[in-house]
Amino acid sequence: MTHRIDQTRRSLLTAGAAAMVLGGMATSRAAAQSSTSTAGQAYAPGRRMLGALEVSAIGLGVQNHSRTFHTTIPNRAEMHRIIRTAFDEGVTFYDTAEVYGPHESERILGEATGEIRDRIQIATKFGFNVDLETGVWAPGLISRPSHIKQAVEGSLRRLRTDRIDLLYQHRVDPDVPIEDVAGAVQELMDEGKVLHWGLSEMGHDTLRRAHAALPVSAVQNEYSMLWRGPENGLLALCAELGIGFVPFSPLGYGFLTGAIDMGTSFAPGDFRANTSRMDAEHREANMALVALVKSWAARKSAAPGQIALAWLMAQGPSIVPIPGTTQMPHLLENAGAVNVTFTESELAELSADVATIEVQGARMPPMVADWSGVEAPQRG
């Protein structure tokens, strides 16, 4: 029977295609910095390092806490409860961006984390052409140094905090040298407003240049069993440079949870409806991955999504997936993935099985794909 995914189903959704593609102050900064440690130092189980920033082994993406489908707005109080429950479950790493909402995702996270602010790590992003005051989203990308500083001031206000633990350039601005971006972030670090920085979906050369200009703590790119692109050199580059890796859409937009089958249709505005890997002919081939995680779920007494997340975390010690959800049962399930482990032989077997499945279709619409792998211009 054909069915439409609604807010009671597991969903990692966006409000549109492009959105997928974001004294007392001294005391709180000191508390935040005391929660980090340098690479190589011991840290507690369930924790991982993104460069010199220590975070929980799994994070929470709050992109859809302001809106899932175009017509669906989650209950705000329930989103606050999910954020706080994540903390109770050991999740301390929260991911947002100015473009999510726009602006509303940051506001919701700020509202929910006041009492726990000094015990968590917040990541947000700049770079899309979002009006600094109204949140109206216009075409294009903006990473001019002056704009970065204004964007960060807005994020700080909405997040109700005096510093951002991890600030990403959301997408590379093709008109701004990455050295200029790094310079602006360095000035924000000097002011104590940013503690660490990273990039998302950038070209490999741009990452090297960025790291040379100002040490990068993390890269955030899509990565899952459904999209293994980072295995083609990016993961190795991050390991070489000592940069952590944060996979977004680690459950393949819900596909790897088993919630999507051949009878599933998508609501208007659902990002997945515009990705050819979800077209019927491609989805049928890609269902082999669902069958695989379901078989391993039965074998490990776990949920299919937990297998997908645990496999990701097993790909490297500095990989920190950030599954997003607006549903409490899914939050608890995702957080529990840290308890799923594989022996060396099990991991080799599972990885070999994953490698035999050739995913069909594109991961994103061409308009969004054009923002990925971009190299920043050289300084003139």
Side-chain angles (χ1 to χ4, degrees), residues 326-345:
T326 61
Q327 303 294 319
M328 186 66 74
H330 303 156
L331 167 70
L332 298 174
E333 180 181 297
N334 293 342
V338 297
N339 300 315
V340 178
T341 60
F342 304 107
T343 65
E344 287 188 15
S345 61

Side-chain angles (χ1 to χ4, degrees), residues 12-79:
L12 301 171
L13 309 169
T14 71
M20 290 304 310
V21 259
L22 320 120
M25 293 178 66
T27 299
S28 57
R29 287 185 186 129
Q33 291 170 347
S34 70
S35 69
T36 66
S37 60
T38 58
Q41 290 183 332
Y43 46 98
R47 309 288 292 174
R48 291 194 168 196
M49 302 302 297
L50 299 175
L53 175 65
E54 183 181 316
V55 299
S56 52
I58 195 166
L60 175 64
V62 301
Q63 173 175 347
N64 294 313
H65 282 198
S66 64
R67 184 173 62 182
T68 55
F69 299 119
H70 281 300
T71 56
T72 302
I73 299 175
N75 179 274
R76 204 175 191 92
E78 179 63 7
M79 298 306 98

Side-chain angles (χ1 to χ4, degrees), residues 32 53 117 120-123 163-167 195-197:
L53 175 65
R117 176 62 188 97
I120 64 173
Q121 302 82 45
I122 291 176
R163 80 280 182 190
I164 294 165
D165 298 282
L166 177 58
L167 178 70
L195 303 185
H196 304 267
W197 86 301

Side-chain angles (χ1 to χ4, degrees), residues 1 3 28 52 59 64 181 186 218 231 273 294 331 352:
M1 176 183 296
H3 59 272
S28 57
N64 294 313
V181 175
Q186 178 67 76
E231 295 173 1
K294 284 184 174 180
L331 167 70

Side-chain angles (χ1 to χ4, degrees), residues 55-56 58-62 65 82-88 90-96 109 113 116 119-124 166 322:
V55 299
S56 52
I58 195 166
L60 175 64
V62 301
H65 282 198
I82 284 174
I83 290 167
R84 293 299 297 264
T85 300
F87 177 76
D88 293 339
V91 175
T92 67
F93 185 43
Y94 295 86
D95 184 86
T96 184
L109 184 58
T113 56
I116 59 173
R119 293 180 284 169
I120 64 173
Q121 302 82 45
I122 291 176
T124 193
L166 177 58
I322 48 169

Side-chain angles (χ1 to χ4, degrees), residues 303-324:
Q306 290 178 326
I307 297 297
L309 291 171
W311 177 83
L312 265 184
M313 289 185 281
Q315 301 310 301
S318 294
I319 293 178
V320 180
I322 48 169

Side-chain angles (χ1 to χ4, degrees), residues 16-361:
M20 290 304 310
V21 259
L22 320 120
M25 293 178 66
T27 299
S28 57
R29 287 185 186 129
Q33 291 170 347
S34 70
S35 69
T36 66
S37 60
T38 58
Q41 290 183 332
Y43 46 98
R47 309 288 292 174
R48 291 194 168 196
M49 302 302 297
L50 299 175
L53 175 65
E54 183 181 316
V55 299
S56 52
I58 195 166
L60 175 64
V62 301
Q63 173 175 347
N64 294 313
H65 282 198
S66 64
R67 184 173 62 182
T68 55
F69 299 119
H70 281 300
T71 56
T72 302
I73 299 175
N75 179 274
R76 204 175 191 92
E78 179 63 7
M79 298 306 98
H80 293 165
R81 193 167 76 92
I82 284 174
I83 290 167
R84 293 299 297 264
T85 300
F87 177 76
D88 293 339
E89 294 296 313
V91 175
T92 67
F93 185 43
Y94 295 86
D95 184 86
T96 184
E98 66 167 351
V99 76
Y100 299 160
H103 291 176
E104 277 303 292
S105 172
E106 289 182 324
R107 291 191 182 104
I108 291 169
L109 184 58
E111 291 162 3
T113 56
E115 295 179 2
I116 59 173
R117 176 62 188 97
D118 290 339
R119 293 180 284 169
I120 64 173
Q121 302 82 45
I122 291 176
T124 193
K125 312 174 194 74
F126 66 86
F128 282 106
N129 189 7
V130 177
D131 186 273
L132 295 167
E133 297 301 325
T134 68
V136 173
W137 190 2
L141 299 165
I142 299 180
S143 282
R144 295 190 304 269
S146 60
H147 186 90
I148 293 171
K149 294 174 183 179
Q150 291 175 298
V152 166
E153 292 297 337
S155 292
L156 290 171
R157 287 194 303 271
R158 291 185 291 271
L159 290 165
R160 303 185 181 188
T161 187
D162 64 324
R163 80 280 182 190
I164 294 165
D165 298 282
L166 177 58
L167 178 70
Y168 293 103
Q169 182 186 40
H170 210 157
R171 292 294 186 272
V172 172
D173 187 332
D175 296 323
V176 179
I178 197 63
E179 292 81 5
D180 292 351
V181 175
V185 175
Q186 178 67 76
E187 291 180 14
L188 290 164
M189 288 181 172
D190 292 342
E191 296 171 7
K193 295 175 180 178
V194 171
L195 303 185
H196 304 267
W197 86 301
L199 293 88
S200 181
E201 295 282 338
M202 71 289 115
H204 292 198
D205 182 61
T206 294
L207 179 58
R208 283 191 179 276
R209 289 167 52 201
H211 189 66
L214 180 66
V216 172
S217 289
V219 162
Q220 183 180 127
N221 274 42
E222 183 176 354
Y223 182 34
S224 71
M225 290 180 176
L226 191 64
W227 171 249
R228 304 193 296 273
E231 295 173 1
N232 295 325
L234 181 56
L235 292 179
L237 177 58
C238 287
E240 173 194 335
L241 300 177
I243 297 171
F245 193 91
V246 178
F248 72 78
S249 302
L251 294 170
Y253 300 96
F255 188 73
L256 298 171
T257 69
I260 297 172
D261 58 26
M262 292 306 297
T264 301
S265 62
F266 299 103
D270 189 329
F271 176 82
R272 295 169 296 186
N274 299 309
T275 61
S276 64
R277 66 186 177 189
M278 290 298 161
D279 292 347
E281 67 274 21
H282 294 146
R283 194 190 312 179
E284 185 172 12
N286 297 338
M287 289 298 296
L289 279 173
V290 177
L292 178 62
V293 292
K294 284 184 174 180
S295 69
W296 275 86
R299 181 170 167 178
K300 302 292 286 185
S301 298
Q306 290 178 326
I307 297 297
L309 291 171
W311 177 83
L312 265 184
M313 289 185 281
Q315 301 310 301
S318 294
I319 293 178
V320 180
I322 48 169
T325 185
T326 61
Q327 303 294 319
M328 186 66 74
H330 303 156
L331 167 70
L332 298 174
E333 180 181 297
N334 293 342
V338 297
N339 300 315
V340 178
T341 60
F342 304 107
T343 65
E344 287 188 15
S345 61
E346 286 175 335
L347 180 60
E349 178 186 351
L350 176 55
S351 295
D353 289 342
V354 170
T356 65
I357 300 171
E358 184 176 352
V359 175
Q360 303 295 310

